[in-house]
Amino acid sequence: MSPSPALPGHPHIAQRDGALHVEALPLAALAREHGTPLFVYSKQWMLDALAAYQRGFEGRDALICYAMKANSSLGVLRVFAEAGCGFDIVSGGELARVLAAGADPAKVIFSGVGKTRAEMRQALAAGIACFNVESEAELEVLNAVALEEAGRRARISIRINPNVDPKTHPYISTGLKGNKFGVAHDRALATYRHAASLPGLEVVGIDCHIGSQITEASPYLDALERVLDLVVLIEEAGIPLHHLDFGGGLGIDYNHDTPPAADALWKQLLARLDARGFGQRKLVVEPGRSLVGNAGVCVTEVLYTKPGEDKNFCIVDAAMNDLPRPAMYQAFHRIVPLAARDAAGATTYDVVGPVCESGDWIGRDRELNVAQGDLLAVLSAGAYCMSMASNYNTRGRAAEVLVAGNRATLIRRRESVEDQLRNELT
Ligand SMILES: *Cc1c(COP(=O)(O)O)cnc(C)c1O
């Protein structure tokens, strides 16, 4: 058998005939047609990632709600909407977006610590499945808004902070005591009792979300036990919980990371749920990164190479406003040349963008054999890149292409300076 040309951990990205492909299409041709920086996504990777969750929940009553903040482009949302997914939203803007992509509002849940009254009204009018409430103060406001809205009760779940360490970057760890998210474990029962007494609310579930880029099963198992302990207490208090929502957070392979596969993880979690008698309860999950992260690459052109006193710089046309994760979290993204050159001529570079900030780097100390005009692919760029993109330095946001087999669809035009100036007044 000949070795697979696919990059390790990236089954739909492969070097063929000396050129890097996403599915059946060479990235260089897409970059020529659409310019750089350019995000390119593999539809098959997304569907395969979703299928792992679907396999994991086979025979169960489960709703997979894609956490759309990971990548909220309409073309990406449409893939998941067509596959029957629900969605986890965190703003009224995301609600409008996901409805525009054809989502069923009855499969939409609304998370976030700072929902406004206007957003609550918008979500009630749309008829979403559930508000994941994050504080006692939010309960009061949601109750008031629901009562004002012609007799419509708001279905709610309360986000519990299970106080487990997800063993990830502190900025993406959300289930520890010091975080702003959720209601403390100790306050949970009292908060549920109060929620059940409010006439504008209908208690339907419980939820947690302990962090992101989690690469081990143990934090999930710990959180599960702690949430189930609370479920027992809450139901003993006469408040039935229709669904249990375990959030998202499963990691992907950025740099030899080895997170459990979604189906393997859920096999373990379901065994615990079964053992404790909750295996037939309706389950909800909110995966974001693990459904899109490794579906995407960002193609960027080498503008200059610049030997420095201590370091050599490879200056590319993608920047922190396209790929914010290195600047925000010191995150690692693999960087691969589109056309492989002889590794013998490699130099150690810091790959940096044109933005006027020292934090504008994409990769540090990378061995690359590159020259001006070469194209590079920044891998694992499907999640928390385009959705976090900004216009800093008045840079237009990149274009996006969705690849399915040998078909490429432009799902977002490159943002022009006219687009950026449209809302400004002089
Ligand atoms: C961001 C977020 C998710 C998704 O997290 P991933 O790490 O991308 O899977 C799920 N639920 C909530 C409440 C979130 O804030």
Side-chain angles (χ1 to χ4, degrees), residues 123-167:
L124 279 167
I128 67 162
C130 186
F131 290 84
N132 288 355
V133 174
E134 303 226 14
S135 65
E136 295 170 60
E138 184 189 338
L139 278 180
E140 304 297 335
V141 172
L142 182 57
N143 176 57
V145 171
L147 290 177
E148 287 159 17
E149 286 303 304
R152 207 184 277 244
R153 291 170 84 197
R155 286 178 290 272
I156 65 133
S157 157
I158 296 174
R159 177 168 174 180
I160 299 307
N161 189 337
N163 196 26
V164 300
D165 184 357
K167 304 179 180 121

Side-chain angles (χ1 to χ4, degrees), residues 15 46 57 103 105 108 134 158 173 187 196 204 207 219 255 281 307 313 346 356-357 363 367 370 373 387 398:
Q15 282 285 358
M46 296 180 205
F57 290 120
V108 171
E134 303 226 14
I158 296 174
S173 151
R187 291 288 307 157
V204 295
D207 65 285
N255 183 26
R281 199 63 69 96
F313 294 100
C356 303
E357 295 279 341
E367 294 292 316
V370 286
S387 60

Side-chain angles (χ1 to χ4, degrees), residues 40-74:
V40 180
Y41 305 118
S42 160
K43 181 176 179 181
Q44 195 57 51
W45 196 95
M46 296 180 205
L47 294 176
D48 289 353
L50 177 62
Y53 280 93
Q54 290 166 330
R55 269 195 311 278
F57 290 120
E58 215 168 288
R60 310 285 177 150
D61 182 9
L63 179 63
I64 300 164
C65 290
Y66 167 52
M68 64 178 280
K69 73 178 191 287
N71 187 321
S72 52
S73 299
L74 287 177

Side-chain angles (χ1 to χ4, degrees), residues 67 69-70 88 90 111 159 209 211-213 247-250 286-290 384:
K69 73 178 191 287
D88 176 40
V90 292
S111 300
R159 177 168 174 180
H209 171 70
S212 202
Q213 186 54 19
L250 183 59
E286 307 165 354
R289 188 189 314 270
S290 57
Y384 303 110

